[in-house]
Amino acid sequence: MALTRFSLNIVKTSFKFSPSSAIRISSNQLLKPTVSQPSRMFTTSKVLSKEQVEELQKNPFFDKYAEKIAKLQKTNPEEFLDRLEAKSAKSQPDKPKDFSLPGAAKPSARDEMGKQKTLDKVMNMSLLADKTAEEIANIWNEHFASKDAVAAVIPVGTYKVMQERFKEFNTFLFPLPRDMGYEFTVVQFMGHEAHFTTLINYQAHKENAPECLSMVHYTELAEEKGIVLMVGEYDKDVLSTGEARSLVVQAIQYYGVSMGEEKKLGHLQRFTYQTEEFNHLDLILELEVNPGFAPVA
């Protein structure tokens, strides 16, 4: 994928998302404690492109590191990141979220990549037999409302479309508004999972890029109840609840409801097949015109 030239920076009412406020679920027997397991699947042939460096230099935060950033392609990226983190820790006060800094690389977790996560590790399946799809949806959303996660319940018909799109358009970009503009995140799909990382980390760390959001779709109830349960766990140091929800909504918009929306489907096709015709600014315009939900702080 020709990703190195990008450096920047909806959903229909049938999808039910977890509310932003914390809600306690009444039946503790139904849900089990969730244990997050890392999964890494990002790949790229570049470390940091010329365009990426030029765009980073426009960010005021990077002014004092401009010379080092310009030399990043010719030096050890790990050494650069270590120095950047050390200086940032000493001199930078807390401030609102802006463009992401390169994070530390994460160890590879290849052994976990082929393992499919199952719903019985999250919910007590034996207690679901007499529950309706709507009751299960309410339990699911309420359970994750008090966690660093975004939950959704997707109609099985929509998810079948999403699965086909996951296979055909395995990698894509989604914009997120930041204080100084827009930042892009990269998503890659593997089976029933979606893994997001910031573009700067994608290019700097290859398959060891730290994730900012990891989505899992549970399909065990698809045939009997007609629903697919999704949960996306995010890094709250990188994303707010609203930003995590925005990425989830954009993923469903582009991959789940794009069949009747030629513009969004066209963006996927150009990014995958006609790279030279793809324009990342079109994605920003799509988000500004229809973000799909009211922002959440």
Side-chain angles (χ1 to χ4, degrees), residues 147-167:
K147 302 180 182 298
D148 294 329
V150 178
V153 179
I154 304 172
V156 64
T158 299
Y159 187 69
K160 288 180 179 179
V161 175
M162 294 176 68
Q163 276 191 293
E164 294 301 317
R165 293 284 182 261
F166 293 165
K167 296 175 184 177

PDB file of all heavy atoms in Angstrom, residues 147-167:
ATOM      1  N   LYS A 147     -16.435   1.383  31.039  1.00  0.00           N
ATOM      2  CA  LYS A 147     -15.064   0.958  30.759  1.00  0.00           C
ATOM      3  C   LYS A 147     -14.459   1.840  29.677  1.00  0.00           C
ATOM      4  O   LYS A 147     -15.151   2.613  29.014  1.00  0.00           O
ATOM      5  CB  LYS A 147     -15.047  -0.512  30.321  1.00  0.00           C
ATOM      6  CG  LYS A 147     -15.647  -1.468  31.351  1.00  0.00           C
ATOM      7  CD  LYS A 147     -15.602  -2.903  30.857  1.00  0.00           C
ATOM      8  CE  LYS A 147     -16.255  -3.845  31.875  1.00  0.00           C
ATOM      9  NZ  LYS A 147     -15.545  -3.838  33.168  1.00  0.00           N
ATOM     10  N   ASP A 148     -13.141   1.727  29.486  1.00  0.00           N
ATOM     11  CA  ASP A 148     -12.470   2.435  28.397  1.00  0.00           C
ATOM     12  C   ASP A 148     -12.703   1.655  27.110  1.00  0.00           C
ATOM     13  O   ASP A 148     -11.807   1.038  26.537  1.00  0.00           O
ATOM     14  CB  ASP A 148     -10.968   2.569  28.689  1.00  0.00           C
ATOM     15  CG  ASP A 148     -10.690   3.450  29.888  1.00  0.00           C
ATOM     16  OD1 ASP A 148     -11.477   4.382  30.125  1.00  0.00           O
ATOM     17  OD2 ASP A 148      -9.694   3.207  30.591  1.00  0.00           O
ATOM     18  N   ALA A 149     -13.958   1.676  26.671  1.00  0.00           N
ATOM     19  CA  ALA A 149     -14.348   0.886  25.505  1.00  0.00           C
ATOM     20  C   ALA A 149     -15.573   1.502  24.861  1.00  0.00           C
ATOM     21  O   ALA A 149     -16.317   2.260  25.489  1.00  0.00           O
ATOM     22  CB  ALA A 149     -14.638  -0.564  25.902  1.00  0.00           C
ATOM     23  N   VAL A 150     -15.763   1.195  23.589  1.00  0.00           N
ATOM     24  CA  VAL A 150     -16.952   1.598  22.846  1.00  0.00           C
ATOM     25  C   VAL A 150     -17.616   0.324  22.341  1.00  0.00           C
ATOM     26  O   VAL A 150     -16.978  -0.497  21.684  1.00  0.00           O
ATOM     27  CB  VAL A 150     -16.595   2.509  21.656  1.00  0.00           C
ATOM     28  CG1 VAL A 150     -17.844   2.875  20.876  1.00  0.00           C
ATOM     29  CG2 VAL A 150     -15.887   3.770  22.149  1.00  0.00           C
ATOM     30  N   ALA A 151     -18.896   0.149  22.665  1.00  0.00           N
ATOM     31  CA  ALA A 151     -19.612  -1.062  22.279  1.00  0.00           C
ATOM     32  C   ALA A 151     -20.679  -0.732  21.242  1.00  0.00           C
ATOM     33  O   ALA A 151     -21.205   0.378  21.197  1.00  0.00           O
ATOM     34  CB  ALA A 151     -20.258  -1.718  23.498  1.00  0.00           C
ATOM     35  N   ALA A 152     -20.991  -1.712  20.414  1.00  0.00           N
ATOM     36  CA  ALA A 152     -22.045  -1.543  19.418  1.00  0.00           C
ATOM     37  C   ALA A 152     -22.672  -2.894  19.121  1.00  0.00           C
ATOM     38  O   ALA A 152     -22.044  -3.942  19.304  1.00  0.00           O
ATOM     39  CB  ALA A 152     -21.497  -0.926  18.134  1.00  0.00           C
ATOM     40  N   VAL A 153     -23.912  -2.861  18.665  1.00  0.00           N
ATOM     41  CA  VAL A 153     -24.623  -4.062  18.246  1.00  0.00           C
ATOM     42  C   VAL A 153     -24.974  -3.881  16.776  1.00  0.00           C
ATOM     43  O   VAL A 153     -25.675  -2.926  16.413  1.00  0.00           O
ATOM     44  CB  VAL A 153     -25.889  -4.292  19.092  1.00  0.00           C
ATOM     45  CG1 VAL A 153     -26.638  -5.530  18.619  1.00  0.00           C
ATOM     46  CG2 VAL A 153     -25.509  -4.430  20.563  1.00  0.00           C
ATOM     47  N   ILE A 154     -24.512  -4.777  15.924  1.00  0.00           N
ATOM     48  CA  ILE A 154     -24.617  -4.619  14.474  1.00  0.00           C
ATOM     49  C   ILE A 154     -25.544  -5.682  13.906  1.00  0.00           C
ATOM     50  O   ILE A 154     -25.383  -6.876  14.211  1.00  0.00           O
ATOM     51  CB  ILE A 154     -23.221  -4.741  13.815  1.00  0.00           C
ATOM     52  CG1 ILE A 154     -22.267  -3.723  14.440  1.00  0.00           C
ATOM     53  CG2 ILE A 154     -23.307  -4.558  12.311  1.00  0.00           C
ATOM     54  CD1 ILE A 154     -20.817  -3.897  13.991  1.00  0.00           C
ATOM     55  N   PRO A 155     -26.505  -5.303  13.072  1.00  0.00           N
ATOM     56  CA  PRO A 155     -27.363  -6.301  12.422  1.00  0.00           C
ATOM     57  C   PRO A 155     -26.526  -7.261  11.589  1.00  0.00           C
ATOM     58  O   PRO A 155     -25.555  -6.859  10.943  1.00  0.00           O
ATOM     59  CB  PRO A 155     -28.273  -5.441  11.538  1.00  0.00           C
ATOM     60  CG  PRO A 155     -28.250  -4.089  12.161  1.00  0.00           C
ATOM     61  CD  PRO A 155     -26.882  -3.924  12.740  1.00  0.00           C
ATOM     62  N   VAL A 156     -26.898  -8.528  11.582  1.00  0.00           N
ATOM     63  CA  VAL A 156     -26.091  -9.537  10.921  1.00  0.00           C
ATOM     64  C   VAL A 156     -25.956  -9.265   9.424  1.00  0.00           C
ATOM     65  O   VAL A 156     -24.898  -9.525   8.831  1.00  0.00           O
ATOM     66  CB  VAL A 156     -26.676 -10.947  11.174  1.00  0.00           C
ATOM     67  CG1 VAL A 156     -28.057 -11.094  10.552  1.00  0.00           C
ATOM     68  CG2 VAL A 156     -25.729 -12.021  10.643  1.00  0.00           C
ATOM     69  N   GLY A 157     -27.000  -8.724   8.801  1.00  0.00           N
ATOM     70  CA  GLY A 157     -26.916  -8.417   7.380  1.00  0.00           C
ATOM     71  C   GLY A 157     -25.854  -7.379   7.080  1.00  0.00           C
ATOM     72  O   GLY A 157     -25.109  -7.494   6.094  1.00  0.00           O
ATOM     73  N   THR A 158     -25.783  -6.375   7.927  1.00  0.00           N
ATOM     74  CA  THR A 158     -24.763  -5.340   7.757  1.00  0.00           C
ATOM     75  C   THR A 158     -23.370  -5.914   7.979  1.00  0.00           C
ATOM     76  O   THR A 158     -22.422  -5.583   7.252  1.00  0.00           O
ATOM     77  CB  THR A 158     -25.010  -4.188   8.738  1.00  0.00           C
ATOM     78  OG1 THR A 158     -26.287  -3.601   8.467  1.00  0.00           O
ATOM     79  CG2 THR A 158     -23.940  -3.118   8.622  1.00  0.00           C
ATOM     80  N   TYR A 159     -23.243  -6.784   8.958  1.00  0.00           N
ATOM     81  CA  TYR A 159     -21.916  -7.337   9.244  1.00  0.00           C
ATOM     82  C   TYR A 159     -21.420  -8.235   8.111  1.00  0.00           C
ATOM     83  O   TYR A 159     -20.214  -8.320   7.861  1.00  0.00           O
ATOM     84  CB  TYR A 159     -21.911  -8.103  10.561  1.00  0.00           C
ATOM     85  CG  TYR A 159     -20.512  -8.530  10.939  1.00  0.00           C
ATOM     86  CD1 TYR A 159     -19.563  -7.580  11.311  1.00  0.00           C
ATOM     87  CD2 TYR A 159     -20.125  -9.861  10.884  1.00  0.00           C
ATOM     88  CE1 TYR A 159     -18.267  -7.943  11.628  1.00  0.00           C
ATOM     89  CE2 TYR A 159     -18.823 -10.236  11.201  1.00  0.00           C
ATOM     90  CZ  TYR A 159     -17.902  -9.267  11.572  1.00  0.00           C
ATOM     91  OH  TYR A 159     -16.612  -9.637  11.875  1.00  0.00           O
ATOM     92  N   LYS A 160     -22.311  -8.900   7.404  1.00  0.00           N
ATOM     93  CA  LYS A 160     -21.891  -9.713   6.269  1.00  0.00           C
ATOM     94  C   LYS A 160     -21.254  -8.837   5.192  1.00  0.00           C
ATOM     95  O   LYS A 160     -20.254  -9.214   4.573  1.00  0.00           O
ATOM     96  CB  LYS A 160     -23.079 -10.485   5.695  1.00  0.00           C
ATOM     97  CG  LYS A 160     -23.542 -11.634   6.586  1.00  0.00           C
ATOM     98  CD  LYS A 160     -24.733 -12.376   5.965  1.00  0.00           C
ATOM     99  CE  LYS A 160     -25.172 -13.535   6.855  1.00  0.00           C
ATOM    100  NZ  LYS A 160     -26.329 -14.264   6.289  1.00  0.00           N
ATOM    101  N   VAL A 161     -21.824  -7.655   4.989  1.00  0.00           N
ATOM    102  CA  VAL A 161     -21.233  -6.696   4.059  1.00  0.00           C
ATOM    103  C   VAL A 161     -19.861  -6.260   4.568  1.00  0.00           C
ATOM    104  O   VAL A 161     -18.889  -6.171   3.811  1.00  0.00           O
ATOM    105  CB  VAL A 161     -22.159  -5.470   3.874  1.00  0.00           C
ATOM    106  CG1 VAL A 161     -21.477  -4.411   3.009  1.00  0.00           C
ATOM    107  CG2 VAL A 161     -23.482  -5.890   3.259  1.00  0.00           C
ATOM    108  N   MET A 162     -19.769  -5.993   5.864  1.00  0.00           N
ATOM    109  CA  MET A 162     -18.510  -5.554   6.457  1.00  0.00           C
ATOM    110  C   MET A 162     -17.421  -6.605   6.277  1.00  0.00           C
ATOM    111  O   MET A 162     -16.270  -6.278   5.967  1.00  0.00           O
ATOM    112  CB  MET A 162     -18.717  -5.239   7.941  1.00  0.00           C
ATOM    113  CG  MET A 162     -19.628  -4.050   8.193  1.00  0.00           C
ATOM    114  SD  MET A 162     -19.979  -3.752   9.949  1.00  0.00           S
ATOM    115  CE  MET A 162     -18.366  -3.232  10.532  1.00  0.00           C
ATOM    116  N   GLN A 163     -17.772  -7.869   6.462  1.00  0.00           N
ATOM    117  CA  GLN A 163     -16.784  -8.935   6.315  1.00  0.00           C
ATOM    118  C   GLN A 163     -16.187  -8.962   4.914  1.00  0.00           C
ATOM    119  O   GLN A 163     -14.971  -9.135   4.749  1.00  0.00           O
ATOM    120  CB  GLN A 163     -17.428 -10.293   6.627  1.00  0.00           C
ATOM    121  CG  GLN A 163     -17.471 -10.642   8.102  1.00  0.00           C
ATOM    122  CD  GLN A 163     -17.861 -12.086   8.314  1.00  0.00           C
ATOM    123  OE1 GLN A 163     -18.993 -12.481   8.025  1.00  0.00           O
ATOM    124  NE2 GLN A 163     -16.937 -12.877   8.809  1.00  0.00           N
ATOM    125  N   GLU A 164     -17.040  -8.812   3.908  1.00  0.00           N
ATOM    126  CA  GLU A 164     -16.537  -8.790   2.540  1.00  0.00           C
ATOM    127  C   GLU A 164     -15.623  -7.596   2.317  1.00  0.00           C
ATOM    128  O   GLU A 164     -14.590  -7.697   1.650  1.00  0.00           O
ATOM    129  CB  GLU A 164     -17.709  -8.756   1.550  1.00  0.00           C
ATOM    130  CG  GLU A 164     -18.551 -10.016   1.556  1.00  0.00           C
ATOM    131  CD  GLU A 164     -17.733 -11.250   1.210  1.00  0.00           C
ATOM    132  OE1 GLU A 164     -16.913 -11.170   0.270  1.00  0.00           O
ATOM    133  OE2 GLU A 164     -17.904 -12.290   1.890  1.00  0.00           O
ATOM    134  N   ARG A 165     -16.003  -6.472   2.880  1.00  0.00           N
ATOM    135  CA  ARG A 165     -15.168  -5.269   2.747  1.00  0.00           C
ATOM    136  C   ARG A 165     -13.839  -5.431   3.492  1.00  0.00           C
ATOM    137  O   ARG A 165     -12.801  -4.971   3.032  1.00  0.00           O
ATOM    138  CB  ARG A 165     -15.924  -4.058   3.298  1.00  0.00           C
ATOM    139  CG  ARG A 165     -17.150  -3.675   2.474  1.00  0.00           C
ATOM    140  CD  ARG A 165     -16.720  -2.971   1.189  1.00  0.00           C
ATOM    141  NE  ARG A 165     -17.901  -2.561   0.436  1.00  0.00           N
ATOM    142  CZ  ARG A 165     -18.401  -3.239  -0.585  1.00  0.00           C
ATOM    143  NH1 ARG A 165     -17.850  -4.383  -0.948  1.00  0.00           N
ATOM    144  NH2 ARG A 165     -19.453  -2.788  -1.231  1.00  0.00           N
ATOM    145  N   PHE A 166     -13.869  -6.068   4.666  1.00  0.00           N
ATOM    146  CA  PHE A 166     -12.636  -6.284   5.413  1.00  0.00           C
ATOM    147  C   PHE A 166     -11.614  -7.026   4.554  1.00  0.00           C
ATOM    148  O   PHE A 166     -10.415  -6.729   4.582  1.00  0.00           O
ATOM    149  CB  PHE A 166     -12.898  -7.105   6.680  1.00  0.00           C
ATOM    150  CG  PHE A 166     -13.727  -6.404   7.725  1.00  0.00           C
ATOM    151  CD1 PHE A 166     -14.302  -7.133   8.763  1.00  0.00           C
ATOM    152  CD2 PHE A 166     -13.943  -5.036   7.685  1.00  0.00           C
ATOM    153  CE1 PHE A 166     -15.064  -6.505   9.733  1.00  0.00           C
ATOM    154  CE2 PHE A 166     -14.706  -4.398   8.640  1.00  0.00           C
ATOM    155  CZ  PHE A 166     -15.272  -5.138   9.671  1.00  0.00           C
ATOM    156  N   LYS A 167     -12.089  -8.009   3.814  1.00  0.00           N
ATOM    157  CA  LYS A 167     -11.196  -8.819   2.995  1.00  0.00           C
ATOM    158  C   LYS A 167     -10.681  -8.044   1.788  1.00  0.00           C
ATOM    159  O   LYS A 167      -9.491  -8.118   1.455  1.00  0.00           O
ATOM    160  CB  LYS A 167     -11.918 -10.082   2.528  1.00  0.00           C
ATOM    161  CG  LYS A 167     -12.318 -11.025   3.645  1.00  0.00           C
ATOM    162  CD  LYS A 167     -13.146 -12.196   3.114  1.00  0.00           C
ATOM    163  CE  LYS A 167     -13.627 -13.095   4.237  1.00  0.00           C
ATOM    164  NZ  LYS A 167     -14.490 -14.194   3.728  1.00  0.00           N
TER     165      LYS A 167
END
